[in-house]
Amino acid sequence: MKVVFATSNQGKVKEVREALKEFGIEVLSLREVGKELPPPEETGNTFCENAYQKATYYSKALELPVIAEDSGLEVEALNGLPGVFSSRFAGENATDEENNLKLIEELKKRNLTSSPARYVSFFFFSFPKGFGLWSEGEVKGKVIVEPKGEGGFGYDPLFIPEGYGKTMAELPLKEKNRISHRGRAIKKLIELLKKVNW
Ligand code: IMP
C-alpha cells in the first residue's frame, strides 16, 4: 500500500520510510508524487493543528492517503520555545546551523550550558474520504551548547536523550528511530492502523 508523506524534509522521509517499510507501507514523498501544489500555510499554534492542516489539505488535493507530521523542540529555559517555530527559530528559511546557533546563543545569554528539553512529534493520517487518525510521541532529554555528531538533522547535535551520554546526532538512525519522538509516534500510528479497517 502507498501513502504520501507530506514533507519537504528529507531527514524525516528517511526516518518514516524506514519505520513503515516492515509493515508493507510504501512511503512516497511529495516530490515523488510529481504534482506541483502550493504548500499550505502553517498557521497553527500547536503541533496538532499544523499536522491536521497539512494532511487534510494534501489528501483532498491529491485524492490519496496522506501522512503529515509536525514536530519540534521545547526547551524548558526558553519557556517551551522554539516549539512550533523550531524550523524557523532564526528566521524564515533559516538553516539547521542557523537555528542551532540561535539556540546556543539564547542559552548562553542566560548563562546556561544546558537545559532540560523535549522533542515532540504529532502525526495526522488523512484519507481522502475525510477519515483521519492521529498520534503523538515525545522524547525527554537536555540541550547543550557544544554541538556533537554528524547524523540526524535539525537540533540533533545539541540534544542528549535521557539515559544517554551522546547526542541524537551521534546515534545510528535505527537507534534514533527506536527512541525518538517520531519513532514513538509512528509506533502508535501503526497500532491504530492495525485496529481500523481502511
Ligand atoms: P516541521 O517540519 O515544521 O515539523 O519542523 C520541524 C523542525 O523541528 C525541524 O526543522 C527541526 O528544526 C526540529 N525537529 C523536529 N524533529 C527533529 C529531530 O528529530 N531532530 C532534530 N530536529 C528536529
Side-chain angles (χ1 to χ4, degrees), residues 83-149:
V84 289
F85 306 105
S86 291
S87 63
R88 45 198 153 116
F89 193 33
E92 283 304 325
N93 306 317
T95 62
D96 286 347
E97 289 70 27
E98 287 164 345
N99 287 328
N100 285 351
L101 278 178
K102 163 102 175 148
L103 176 58
I104 294 168
E105 219 177 82
E106 292 295 327
L107 291 171
K108 286 190 172 168
K109 250 194 232 169
R110 291 163 176 79
N111 291 322
L112 295 171
T113 53
S114 71
S115 165
R118 68 172 192 146
Y119 273 135
V120 185
S121 162
F122 198 100
F123 272 88
F124 199 92
F125 195 162
S126 173
F127 299 85
K129 283 180 191 156
F131 163 68
L133 296 170
W134 59 93
S135 67
E136 190 177 3
E138 70 162 6
V139 57
K140 290 185 177 145
K142 65 174 178 181
V143 284
I144 54 169
V145 293
E146 298 284 341
K148 283 183 200 140

Side-chain angles (χ1 to χ4, degrees), residues 1-194:
M1 174 230 312
K2 288 182 185 177
V3 304
V4 178
F5 184 30
T7 181
S8 54
N9 181 325
Q10 289 310 306
K12 287 187 187 178
V13 173
K14 230 169 131 183
E15 289 180 12
V16 170
R17 184 168 281 157
E18 170 88 17
L20 294 184
K21 198 167 59 185
E22 58 185 290
F23 296 92
I25 298 176
E26 187 187 338
V27 175
L28 301 177
S29 67
L30 281 173
R31 206 190 297 147
E32 286 161 342
V33 178
K35 270 194 199 166
E36 290 273 324
L37 286 171
E41 279 189 48
E42 273 189 33
T43 55
N45 293 316
T46 61
F47 298 117
C48 169
E49 277 175 82
N50 285 336
Y52 170 80
Q53 279 177 359
K54 273 186 272 185
T56 50
Y57 168 81
Y58 282 109
S59 69
K60 274 186 198 139
L62 298 170
E63 298 184 331
L64 287 168
V66 173
I67 299 176
E69 190 246 14
D70 201 50
S71 57
L73 177 72
E74 294 181 343
V75 178
E76 201 175 284
L78 308 182
N79 296 320
L81 283 176
V84 289
F85 306 105
S86 291
S87 63
R88 45 198 153 116
F89 193 33
E92 283 304 325
N93 306 317
T95 62
D96 286 347
E97 289 70 27
E98 287 164 345
N99 287 328
N100 285 351
L101 278 178
K102 163 102 175 148
L103 176 58
I104 294 168
E105 219 177 82
E106 292 295 327
L107 291 171
K108 286 190 172 168
K109 250 194 232 169
R110 291 163 176 79
N111 291 322
L112 295 171
T113 53
S114 71
S115 165
R118 68 172 192 146
Y119 273 135
V120 185
S121 162
F122 198 100
F123 272 88
F124 199 92
F125 195 162
S126 173
F127 299 85
K129 283 180 191 156
F131 163 68
L133 296 170
W134 59 93
S135 67
E136 190 177 3
E138 70 162 6
V139 57
K140 290 185 177 145
K142 65 174 178 181
V143 284
I144 54 169
V145 293
E146 298 284 341
K148 283 183 200 140
E150 304 293 327
F153 66 94
Y155 298 95
D156 284 347
L158 298 177
F159 185 86
I160 300 184
E162 218 166 61
Y164 284 75
K166 286 180 177 180
T167 68
M168 209 66 133
E170 292 177 296
L171 298 179
L173 183 58
K174 264 222 153 93
E175 181 66 1
K176 177 181 173 182
N177 276 347
R178 199 179 65 77
I179 63 157
S180 81
H181 49 318
R182 212 166 0 267
R184 288 175 176 158
I186 293 170
K187 240 177 252 157
K188 288 188 199 167
L189 193 69
I190 288 168
E191 288 312 310
L192 287 172
L193 284 171
K194 283 184 193 160

